Amino acid sequence: HKLRLLTVAWDHNVPFVSSQNNATSNFLPACQVCNGWKSSRIFQTLDEAAVALTLRWEQEREEHHASKKVGLR
């Protein structure tokens, strides 16, 4: 397993594009990768966000493993 260095980024809880809200209360910490995947999506619950981002991490892992297999052939 390869370790990945993650950077913490400040993310808008409600995307700025939807709310035009740059108040401190609308920010939360997120890893830079998850912040990019989230983009302007709005999740109704923390659980919904966790499921979506977990699925995306799993997809990334599968794609990484598939590309390594192709490289071995």
Side-chain angles (χ1 to χ4, degrees):
H1 296 281
K2 185 178 179 181
L3 295 177
R4 180 184 288 191
L5 179 63
L6 298 176
T7 310
V8 174
W10 287 105
D11 185 19
H12 289 90
N13 185 37
V14 177
F16 182 79
V17 71
S18 300
S19 67
Q20 305 298 302
N21 181 355
N22 258 342
T24 304
S25 60
N26 191 36
F27 283 92
L28 50 87
C31 83
Q32 185 177 10
V33 175
C34 292
N35 188 15
W37 290 338
K38 178 184 169 277
S39 186
S40 61
R41 293 172 59 186
I42 298 175
F43 298 104
Q44 297 302 313
T45 66
L46 184 57
D47 288 338
E48 182 184 351
V51 167
L53 295 173
T54 298
L55 290 173
R56 186 67 167 91
W57 275 112
E58 289 173 358
Q59 178 185 3
E60 282 289 311
R61 185 177 58 228
E62 289 171 9
E63 289 174 3
H64 176 74
H65 288 306
S67 69
K68 288 189 107 177
K69 287 180 184 179
V70 170
L72 293 175
R73 291 182 185 177

